Amino acid sequence: MLPSYFFAHGAPSIVLELNVYTDLLKQFGATTPRPKAVIVFSAHWEEPQQTVSTVSRYDTIYDFSGFQDELYRMMYPAEGHLPLSEEIRSLFETHGIPCGVDGERGLDHGVWAVLKMIYPDADVPVIALSVNRHLSNEQQYRIGQVLGALRERDVLIIGSGGTVHNLRKLRWQAGDAVDEWAFSFDNWLQEKLEAWDTEALFQYRELAPYAQEAVPTNEHFIPLLLAMGSGDANKQAKLLHRSYQYGNLGLSCWQFG
């Protein structure tokens, strides 16, 4: 059974960078078993109900501005997997999770910037899934849990977001300096994830230090809960990497299961 994963996608320019974290992503694709398909929950696709992509071949969405020209020339023409999309829709329906489909939307940078480093040839089928910031944390976990059995069939489940993601607090010239509040929040999160303490995690806004600073809006945090939920059958969490850019922008990778 494949583990599920959470990958922080950082700034869109991460796909052009050479550092320890981007090396990890590139090595991940080269050293882990190649899946039959990859499901990606992206923080940058928000819908009022769970939505599943039914695209045959994706366009590339440039959902950012002010970055290097090279980024706007990048393409990630991955194919979809319509039978798996339909199976996912059916699973949600069976478990009482309202679900829609989208046959037009391309891949946003929360998907393609990560996958371009893992599978640069865009040769693994992709199913993009939306997030809904208005659901409870328990409901987010449950959505991931419903898909967990797909891991037994070599389907890779990824949540793409960020544990510490506050654009208003970024310090672009910070160099290697990291804000203590970002460390404090992530340290609390690591303790609860490794203990699989869902009771505390579902109440992170009330219990975690500096939660408001780290997670001012929850769309980037949701993919972590979705990926964790899909690893529920094993209940094992492993931190593969954690670093920061611009003073506090978290770059972390978690393995579940």
Side-chain angles (χ1 to χ4, degrees):
M1 179 186 292
L2 289 177
S4 58
Y5 293 88
F6 170 81
F7 292 115
H9 58 246
S13 54
I14 193 171
V15 72
L16 301 177
E17 297 171 5
L18 299 175
N19 55 47
V20 175
Y21 185 59
T22 60
D23 284 347
L24 178 145
L25 291 173
K26 293 169 185 175
Q27 286 299 312
F28 179 89
T31 59
T32 58
R34 179 166 291 263
K36 293 179 180 177
V38 56
I39 296 169
V40 185
F41 289 95
S42 173
H44 290 276
W45 184 13
E46 293 190 62
E47 295 287 351
Q49 69 171 358
Q50 183 60 61
T51 306
V52 181
S53 174
T54 55
V55 171
S56 297
R57 182 179 291 273
Y58 292 96
D59 294 327
T60 305
I61 301 174
Y62 307 102
D63 53 332
F64 46 82
S65 61
F67 287 89
Q68 300 95 319
D69 291 343
E70 184 178 352
L71 283 176
Y72 302 93
R73 295 191 293 270
M74 286 189 171
M75 300 181 69
Y76 197 78
E79 293 184 355
H81 193 299
L82 298 184
L84 184 55
S85 292
E86 172 55 28
E87 182 175 358
I88 293 168
R89 187 205 63 77
S90 180
L91 279 170
F92 287 144
E93 182 179 282
T94 299
H95 288 85
I97 297 171
C99 180
V101 298
D102 187 311
E104 297 183 359
R105 191 178 190 277
L107 298 179
D108 59 66
H109 81 273
V111 181
W112 68 258
V114 172
L115 292 186
K116 195 167 183 64
M117 290 183 280
I118 297 175
Y119 305 118
D121 296 327
D123 54 356
V124 176
V126 176
I127 297 90
L129 274 73
S130 68
V131 300
N132 179 357
R133 71 169 71 192
H134 301 293
L135 299 179
S136 69
N137 293 325
E138 291 89 343
Q139 289 172 310
Q140 309 289 2
Y141 185 93
R142 177 59 176 157
I143 288 171
Q145 192 177 25
V146 165
L147 300 184
L150 296 176
R151 299 188 297 125
E152 298 178 2
R153 292 164 37 207
D154 297 329
V155 174
L156 177 63
I157 300 174
I158 292 174
S160 173
T163 59
V164 179
H165 187 275
N166 189 335
L167 301 184
R168 292 182 179 274
K169 288 190 173 292
L170 295 186
R171 298 184 293 111
W172 297 96
Q173 307 303 320
D176 294 331
V178 180
D179 294 327
E180 182 60 34
W181 60 264
F183 273 131
S184 296
F185 177 80
D186 266 341
N187 285 339
W188 181 92
L189 186 62
Q190 179 177 352
E191 176 185 332
K192 303 308 178 187
L193 286 169
E194 290 177 344
W196 211 272
D197 186 351
T198 55
E199 182 177 351
L201 287 165
F202 294 161
Q203 301 179 69
Y204 74 90
R205 283 204 172 276
E206 294 76 31
L207 300 179
Y210 303 104
Q212 185 56 48
E213 288 83 356
V215 190
T217 57
N218 67 341
E219 75 286 345
H220 276 73
F221 193 83
I222 289 168
L224 178 74
L225 297 173
L226 293 162
M228 184 186 187
S230 66
D232 178 81
N234 306 90
K235 292 184 173 61
Q236 294 179 338
K238 181 179 181 181
L239 180 63
L240 302 183
H241 177 86
R242 189 172 85 190
S243 60
Y244 301 86
Q245 292 181 313
Y246 315 123
N248 53 65
L249 182 61
L251 297 179
S252 57
C253 172
W254 279 95
Q255 174 181 298
F256 300 107

